[in-house]
Amino acid sequence: MDWFPSRDGELYAEQVPVTHIAEQFGTPAYIYSRKGFEEGYKAYKQALDGWPHLICYAVKANSNLAVLNVLAKLGAGFDIVSVGELERVIAAGGEASKVVFSGVGKQRHEIRRALELGIYCFNIESEVELERIQEEAEAMGKVASVSVRVNPDVDAQTHPYISTGLKDNKFGIDIKAAPAVYKRAAELPNIEVVGVDCHIGSQLTTKEPFIDALDRLLLLADQLREMGIILKHLDIGGGLGIAYEAHEHPPTPADYLGQVRERLAANEHHSHLEIVVEPGRSIAAQAGMLVTQVELIKQSDHKAFTVVDAAMNDFLRPSIYSAWHGIEPVVADSQKEELLCDVVGPICETGDFLGKDRKLKVTEGDLLAVRSAGAYGFGMSSNYNSRCRPAEIMVDGNQVHLVRRREKLTDQWADEMLLPEG
Ligand SMILES: *Cc1c(COP(=O)(O)O)cnc(C)c1O
């Protein structure tokens, strides 16, 4: 489903022409569709209907309060990786009791705050962290629910794009070492073991690696049962990909989770397991785009550059992941000549581009839409080159809401100070 349809050659955000939004709020700007986030979430809800579950939206994908609030209203839980994300969830009306806390470097003050608010579960990523949580929980007279994030070492030969589920990377605990960690956790008085979890990577476009990982988690659950440790939930992480390009066909949540449910239902020891998922990109990416204006066209002997007013500080994915995002004029004009060009920002870095070798019918002053920018867009923005971060706008039907005003120059240095005179 496209929340940014084209009507008579003009792009809309739900029912509002994108040109109107750009005129009102300026560019560059992120434009979100409320319906996009809602339907993204509901796809998971429907896929898990009838099975005990918790859908924890990965806050880092897009942490704007309005986004979190829209999802909280639907009953979403949240996957957080810092106390900042936890406070955002609370400020946006989310429930702490539906929060899972991931990340390799949780600090003591973050653990204390999470215990104070009563989160659902800590996804622990090391034994050191387990002991830390025990100490903090004991001092506060609380019991902390934990799940061990295991690293299932899904085969890199067959699935080379998986970057977080391999032996060599920093995430999780080697699945072979996990039983010993569970044994220790079960002995600790202020720890309650509730689950197992993994998150093997992001932007996966086939089910196989997920299912491989699931099978390894289930073997571990069996091993733990023999040790007398019964898990309540199975957290299969996030990572489901989206179609950045039209020829990509990632599985739908229904397809992927249907297979997970089949696997669990097939074994009486697994059919009681609650399913926890942590989707980020697959809920947020298609619910947003970045709108930018063409500043000028620069022609050199070899190449044409469409220089726009958005840059890598606004949208980093093309620069750091060589990510491909669709770029199209907001108002199509077939009369214009097609130009083969790189779409670049004004920042002093060769890596500052939004797209390479694109065929676009553009001239100075045109608006361009960078598609699928609702996830890992604004959240990764910065002030590099002393540029103000863009405005964020959410469209709801025919209503347009500013959900973060454009940063002002004085905001940028409000917390800086000069040395004393003399
Ligand atoms: C980033 C992250 C997610 C979300 O990943 P997506 O690819 O955006 O779905 C889920 N869980 C953890 C632990 C993460 O770090």
Side-chain angles (χ1 to χ4, degrees), residues 104 125 149 151 162-174 199-200:
V104 290
E125 304 217 15
R149 176 171 178 179
N151 189 328
I162 296 166
S163 54
T164 62
L166 287 169
K167 270 208 294 271
D168 290 346
N169 64 54
K170 70 177 180 181
F171 300 102
I173 291 172
D174 184 346
H199 171 71
I200 56 174

Side-chain angles (χ1 to χ4, degrees), residues 58 60-61 79 81 102-103 123 125 149 171 197 199 201-203 237-240 278-282 376:
K60 76 175 187 287
D79 170 57
V81 293
S102 305
N123 290 342
E125 304 217 15
R149 176 171 178 179
F171 300 102
D197 97 281
H199 171 71
S202 204
Q203 184 53 17
L240 192 60
E278 305 169 350
R281 185 191 316 271
S282 51
Y376 306 108

Side-chain angles (χ1 to χ4, degrees), residues 367-381:
L367 294 173
L368 294 177
V370 182
R371 305 299 297 260
S372 317
Y376 306 108
F378 186 90
M380 297 178 96
S381 65

Side-chain angles (χ1 to χ4, degrees), residues 186-251:
E187 291 163 4
L188 294 171
N190 298 78
I191 296 289
E192 189 194 354
V193 172
V194 291
V196 61
D197 97 281
C198 75
H199 171 71
I200 56 174
S202 204
Q203 184 53 17
L204 273 73
T205 52
T206 62
K207 277 178 292 187
E208 288 72 28
F210 287 124
I211 303 301
D212 282 0
L214 172 67
D215 287 343
R216 291 177 194 205
L217 253 54
L218 293 175
L219 281 176
L220 174 63
D222 293 341
Q223 227 179 321
L224 296 175
R225 194 179 60 252
E226 280 158 23
M227 294 162 55
I229 298 170
I230 309 291
L231 303 179
K232 289 186 198 155
H233 81 243
L234 188 73
D235 180 343
I236 51 181
L240 192 60
I242 62 136
Y244 283 105
E245 297 189 61
H247 66 81
E248 294 175 303
H249 298 285

Side-chain angles (χ1 to χ4, degrees), residues 4 18 21-32 288-293 309-310 314-315 367-370 373 378 388-394 402 404-406:
F4 302 98
V18 168
I21 303 171
E23 274 162 25
Q24 191 180 351
F25 297 102
T27 55
Y30 280 96
I31 301 179
Y32 305 133
M289 62 185 199
L290 174 67
V291 177
T292 180
Q293 187 167 36
D309 65 2
D314 304 298
F315 190 54
L367 294 173
L368 294 177
V370 182
F378 186 90
C388 292
R389 283 178 294 175
E392 292 176 284
I393 291 124
M394 190 181 288
L402 182 66
R404 193 183 204 275
R405 65 167 173 77
R406 184 177 306 286

